[in-house]
Amino acid sequence: MMTAIGALAAAMLAGNAAGQPVEQSLPTLTGGPDFGPRLERFAYPWPVQTINADIIGQPAEMAFMDVAAPRPNGRSVVLLHGKNFCGATWESTVRALTAAGYRVLVPDQIGFCKSSKPRGAQYSFEMLANLTHRLMVSRGIGRATIVGHSIGGMLAMRFAIMFPEAVDQLVLVNPLGLKDRSEEGLPYVDVDTLWAGEKKTSYASIKAYQQANYYHDSWKPAYDRWVWMQVGMYQGAGRDAVALAQAKTSEMVKTQSVAHELYRIKPPTTLIIGTLDRTAFGRQQMQPSLRGFLQSIPLVAPEAARQMPDATVVRLEGLGHAPQVEDPARFEATLLATLARPRR
């Protein structure tokens, strides 16, 4: 555990050196820091606001950051986080976008991060897309470039199908959902089983998964901050609610494929794909003898792009699942070049 504590301290000191608040100097529990089930004690880089929602009769809040550009260019970007990430993970991307003149809206989806995790929620990509559109309207944003990473990419595709007129461009960063994994033999796992697994979440389990799948067996101290961010939601009294939300959203990915509707994605679309991404949703639920048949995102992206009316694949050689974390400067240059392309 001393190694993990040292990693956390180094990551937080790095954040403080960059002028950002330090949430907590060292873990207070043997399992890690307790940031609260809604990351109440984890500082985000810009003020966090909320909008209200009603989820199965239960009041809920959707957290977001709305960051203005010093010299606006009149365009807006909405950044949709992945399952093991949060709005704060987009910090470097937001700084690059606002410096280039873009207004940036960064929601935490219901069930994730600083947003509510209502126990009775029946999660769907339609629900999350509808809430995201409602947030845009409430902030006076009629159209925007929608950028989605990982599960956020799957959400972005559903959003583009539901609200095509609200999308200038669609940018998918190593998205899930390009392939219906059920067709490859991925079995159904019920929520109770997934929930039991999520309750075992630890720094070690998250790091091992991300190192193997996201960062191609490499690791940088900067990654620890985002691992501890996730672990910190599981440490206090609300850990069961966090684990249940994560279990339900995992089932959502399995049961709500968008892969058969790629032809419905009308806006110009760019898939930014790290070539070393090993992610294949559900690999751990597959029989060991079948796991090798699950193709990772870089292998399925080209065929998926061909099914979309107007899609281009941009390959980031040597990067993995989270290029915005692994190599922010290279990712941001690619993203800004993508946004500069002609829009419809």
Side-chain angles (χ1 to χ4, degrees), residues 108-319:
D108 278 349
Q109 297 298 325
I110 292 290
F112 296 88
C113 308
K114 284 188 177 289
S115 290
S116 298
K117 299 163 181 67
R119 188 178 186 89
Q122 181 175 330
Y123 289 94
S124 71
F125 285 108
E126 283 86 351
M127 179 188 81
L128 299 182
N130 191 59
L131 289 170
T132 300
H133 186 253
R134 179 184 161 197
L135 172 63
M136 287 175 59
V137 172
S138 75
R139 305 302 293 177
I141 300 174
R143 289 170 65 88
T145 293
I146 309 298
V147 180
H149 169 239
S150 193
I151 194 178
M154 198 169 178
L155 172 58
M157 288 186 278
R158 179 57 63 191
F159 184 96
I161 291 169
M162 292 175 64
F163 305 104
E165 297 307 314
V167 184
D168 274 335
Q169 293 172 282
L170 188 64
V171 181
L172 308 174
V173 184
N174 292 94
L176 300 186
L178 299 177
K179 187 87 171 178
D180 185 347
R181 298 300 183 179
S182 296
E183 295 179 333
E184 297 180 302
L186 180 63
Y188 175 75
V189 179
D190 63 83
V191 171
D192 283 306
T193 301
L194 293 170
W195 190 15
E198 290 288 350
K199 290 177 182 179
K200 300 175 183 177
T201 295
S202 66
Y203 170 87
S205 68
I206 293 177
K207 178 179 177 179
Y209 177 83
Q210 294 192 8
Q211 187 169 14
N213 292 279
Y214 295 177
Y215 302 115
H216 38 93
D217 292 324
S218 65
W219 196 257
K220 299 176 184 177
Y223 304 159
D224 280 300
R225 178 180 178 85
W226 309 120
V227 176
W228 283 116
M229 177 184 68
Q230 291 294 121
V231 176
M233 286 187 284
Y234 287 85
Q235 297 305 312
R239 59 184 175 271
D240 278 0
V242 174
L244 181 58
Q246 289 288 294
K248 286 185 174 184
T249 51
S250 288
E251 189 205 39
M252 176 181 72
V253 175
K254 167 65 171 68
T255 60
Q256 298 178 33
S257 174
V258 71
H260 302 292
E261 299 177 71
L262 299 178
Y263 68 93
R264 299 181 65 194
I265 298 173
K266 305 303 183 184
T269 301
T270 301
L271 293 85
I272 299 178
I273 305 297
T275 61
L276 297 185
D277 185 5
R278 299 173 183 169
T279 305
F281 177 80
R283 184 178 282 125
Q284 295 306 310
Q285 281 76 50
M286 289 285 283
Q287 297 179 18
S289 61
L290 297 177
R291 287 175 186 170
F293 292 99
L294 281 183
Q295 293 184 312
S296 60
I297 290 172
L299 296 177
V300 301
E303 175 57 30
R306 284 190 286 271
Q307 297 177 52
M308 301 177 191
D310 183 6
T312 302
V313 177
V314 176
R315 294 162 57 88
L316 293 179
E317 298 290 341
L319 297 183

Side-chain angles (χ1 to χ4, degrees), residues 15 20-21 23 35 38-48 63-67 79-96 104-109 112-115 149 222-223 225-230 233 324-325 328 332:
Q20 298 307 312
E23 295 83 13
F35 290 144
R38 292 182 57 182
L39 291 178
E40 294 91 339
R41 291 174 291 281
F42 186 92
Y44 273 28
W46 293 278
V48 176
F64 65 93
M65 296 178 287
D66 188 351
V67 189
L79 299 176
L80 304 179
H81 63 78
K83 190 173 187 294
N84 293 320
F85 301 85
C86 293
T89 319
W90 288 113
E91 179 179 353
S92 183
T93 305
V94 173
R95 295 191 186 281
V104 186
L105 186 64
V106 193
D108 278 349
Q109 297 298 325
F112 296 88
C113 308
K114 284 188 177 289
S115 290
H149 169 239
Y223 304 159
R225 178 180 178 85
W226 309 120
V227 176
W228 283 116
M229 177 184 68
Q230 291 294 121
M233 286 187 284
Q324 75 275 28
V325 175
E332 290 151 15

